């Protein structure tokens, strides 16, 4: 158990606050959901009796029992709200994107450092079961020396949704800054900073005000010129989805279909059990497990061995447990403000690479 409870205020109760933040904050011992800023008072009261509902950020910032503020509002508002919270002396978690520009990300990072506070990007997809499985396979060198890594997050939405800020024309909106932070952060978590980036950022649908597709390639040189290409790809015109992960190496390949089941499970009404309780949160069904194919004898490439790989359990409670421990000083922070800055910088560079039609050298 944590040494003391850390009060948490969640700003925004759309999909992010309702599905990704409030349930997992409430399920981590040592964190206490104190207040939610939203217009949906009845919805919050039904889900979290006793939690305060407020209408303005100053009401949360004035509450001395709240140490951690979670920003889960439209993308273009993240920087201003996060800056106010830091200046009020609160630790912050910012839903992706960490900020709309690398300059804003850098400013948040500097304010947090000056005040000895945490500014944490919500890169929760590091706690996806499929990502954890890929990480484990790479550590085991299951496919030999990795040559190409592909990470897809596809959707089929050929007609823009009406009445949502996510489809509104703004540099902070669009798929590049919606799903791009997850895919790029996962690549950085696995492989570190790339040497170069090549990207195509597009508006593929017949009618759209946002960037609705991208292909980002991160170049890693490796030793003796034997490098790695990490591809991060998204499309709003994918009614047949590509594999979520596809790895090719010198000894074999791994393919994983489908998305981590945590989000749809919560949208479907499931409750997250308290971390540490006997109840298992979620285990992906065997039918969704990935497939590993290897060549035991490299001189005989026709002899292949195939097996299913059990998906490691995904658990977003781990993100908030780590934030709790970092605030208490009992563990290093897993996802840092530097991570948020680097992801934002690479997304900016992806736009520039696409616009100029060339590969860019990466410098942070």
């Amino acid at each position: 158990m944590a040494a003391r409870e850390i009060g948490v205020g969640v700003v925004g109760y759309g999909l992010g606050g309702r599905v990704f933040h409030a349930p997992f904050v409430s399920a981590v011992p040592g964190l206490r959901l104190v207040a939610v800023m939203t217009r949906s008072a009845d919805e919050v009261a039904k889900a979290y009796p006793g939690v305060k509902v407020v209408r303005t950020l100053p009401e949360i910032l004035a509450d001395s029992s709240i140490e951690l503020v979670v920003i889960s509002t439209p993308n273009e508002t993240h920087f201003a709200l996060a800056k106010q919270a830091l200046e009020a002396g609160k630790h912050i978690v910012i839903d992706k994107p960490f900020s709309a520009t690398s300059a804003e990300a850098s400013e948040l990072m500097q304010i947090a450092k000056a005040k000895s506070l945490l500014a944490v990007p919500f890169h929760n997809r590091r706690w996806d079961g499929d990502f954890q499985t890929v990480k484990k396979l790479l550590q085991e060198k299951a496919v030999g020396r990795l040559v190409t890594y592909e990470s897809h997050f596809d959707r089929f939405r050929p007609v823009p949704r009406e009445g949502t800020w996510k489809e509104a024309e703004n540099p902070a909106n669009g798929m590049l800054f919606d799903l791009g932070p997850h895919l790029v952060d996962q690549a950085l978590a696995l492989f570190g900073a790339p040497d170069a980036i090549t990207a195509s950022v597009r508006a593929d649908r017949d009618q759209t005000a946002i960037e609705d597709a991208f292909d980002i390639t991160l170049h890693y040189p490796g030793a003796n010129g034997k490098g790695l290409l990490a591809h991060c790809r998204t499309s709003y015109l994918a009614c047949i989805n590509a594999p979520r992960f596809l790895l090719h190496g010198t000894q074999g390949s791994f393919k994983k279909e489908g998305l981590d089941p945590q989000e749809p499970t919560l949208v479907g009404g499931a409750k997250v059990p308290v971390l540490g309780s006997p109840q298992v949160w979620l285990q992906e069904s065997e039918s969704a497990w990935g497939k590993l194919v290897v060549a035991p004898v490299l001189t005989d490439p026709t002899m292949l061995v195939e097996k299913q790989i059990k998906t490691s359990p995904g658990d977003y409670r781990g993100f908030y447990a780590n934030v709790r421990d970092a605030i208490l000083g009992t563990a290093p922070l897993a996802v840092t403000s530097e991570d948020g800055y680097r992801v934002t910088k690479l997304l900016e560079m992806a736009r520039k690479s696409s616009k100029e039609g060339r590969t860019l050298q990466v410098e942070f």
Side-chain angles (χ1 to χ4, degrees):
M1 295 292 292
R4 59 179 173 81
E5 274 197 328
I6 296 167
V8 181
V10 172
V11 180
Y13 199 69
L15 178 67
R18 178 172 54 86
V19 171
F20 291 106
H21 297 292
F24 291 100
V25 166
S26 300
V28 173
L31 298 181
R32 180 169 63 90
L33 184 60
V34 175
V36 175
M37 188 185 104
T38 181
R39 294 186 178 90
S40 306
D42 292 343
E43 192 175 350
V44 173
K46 182 179 179 181
Y48 304 100
V51 170
K52 291 192 302 182
V53 177
V54 301
R55 298 295 294 273
T56 67
L57 181 62
E59 292 174 85
I60 284 182
L61 300 184
D63 190 330
S64 60
S65 71
I66 294 176
E67 293 183 60
L68 172 65
V69 174
V70 178
I71 309 295
S72 183
T73 53
N75 294 355
E76 63 187 84
T77 67
H78 287 185
F79 171 71
L81 296 175
K83 184 177 180 179
Q84 289 179 62
L86 286 173
E87 289 176 338
K90 310 292 187 182
H91 301 289
I92 57 171
V93 166
I94 311 176
D95 208 328
K96 48 79 186 173
F98 185 60
S99 58
T101 69
S102 60
E104 291 178 350
S106 179
E107 185 174 348
L108 293 177
M109 189 165 52
Q110 295 307 317
I111 295 172
K113 182 178 180 181
K115 290 181 169 288
S116 299
L117 296 169
L118 301 183
V120 190
F122 187 59
H123 292 167
N124 62 307
R125 295 284 175 179
R126 293 194 196 183
W127 283 264
D128 275 358
D130 47 24
F131 176 75
Q132 291 293 321
T133 304
V134 165
K135 183 178 179 181
K136 181 173 182 289
L137 289 173
L138 293 178
Q139 289 171 343
E140 296 170 351
K141 299 188 182 301
V143 298
R145 178 174 57 80
L146 187 65
V147 174
T148 60
Y149 161 95
E150 291 190 34
S151 176
H152 294 254
F153 207 139
D154 295 324
R155 291 174 174 168
F156 186 59
R157 193 168 289 145
V159 178
R161 293 170 295 172
E162 296 182 358
T164 173
W165 59 266
K166 291 188 176 184
E167 295 277 4
E169 184 176 4
N170 188 292
N173 297 337
M175 297 293 271
L176 185 66
F177 274 74
D178 181 21
L179 298 181
H182 288 317
L183 301 188
V184 171
D185 176 69
Q186 287 180 332
L188 294 187
L190 291 173
F191 310 120
D195 272 19
I197 182 172
T198 308
S200 169
V201 182
R202 309 179 302 279
D204 280 350
R205 294 178 295 180
D206 290 333
Q207 295 181 345
T208 185
I210 62 171
E211 299 157 334
D212 57 22
F214 62 77
D215 292 87
I216 298 172
T217 298
L218 304 176
H219 302 257
Y220 294 89
N224 302 316
K226 303 292 186 181
L228 161 70
L229 295 179
H231 305 289
C232 302
R233 293 171 169 149
T234 287
S235 174
Y236 252 168
L237 293 177
C239 54
I240 299 177
N241 290 342
R244 176 66 184 89
F245 288 103
L246 183 60
L247 313 178
H248 293 306
T250 54
Q251 297 176 18
S253 299
F254 174 73
K255 181 171 72 171
K256 175 68 176 70
E257 307 276 358
L259 296 173
D260 182 278
Q262 292 181 85
E263 178 180 352
T265 300
L266 281 165
V267 171
K271 302 296 183 183
V272 183
V274 173
L275 185 63
S277 66
Q279 184 181 351
V280 175
W281 160 223
L282 203 57
Q283 177 63 62
E284 192 172 59
S285 64
E286 186 174 347
S287 63
W289 293 356
K291 180 171 67 176
L292 176 68
V293 180
V294 297
V297 181
L298 296 183
T299 55
D300 185 2
T302 64
M303 186 177 73
L304 299 174
V305 176
E306 176 182 320
K307 66 175 179 178
Q308 278 190 298
I309 301 297
K310 182 178 180 179
T311 304
S312 301
D315 194 344
Y316 299 151
R317 294 176 300 181
F319 172 87
Y320 273 109
N322 174 257
V323 172
R324 173 202 65 195
D325 294 345
I327 291 174
L328 295 175
T330 60
L333 189 62
V335 187
T336 66
S337 57
E338 177 72 14
D339 294 328
Y341 167 78
R342 290 189 169 201
V343 167
T344 306
K345 181 69 173 179
L346 284 173
L347 296 179
E348 287 180 335
M349 294 186 72
R351 273 200 183 122
K352 182 177 180 181
S353 170
S354 181
K355 182 178 180 180
E356 298 181 359
R358 64 187 182 96
T359 298
L360 303 176
Q361 295 302 303
V362 173
E363 294 181 1
F364 291 121

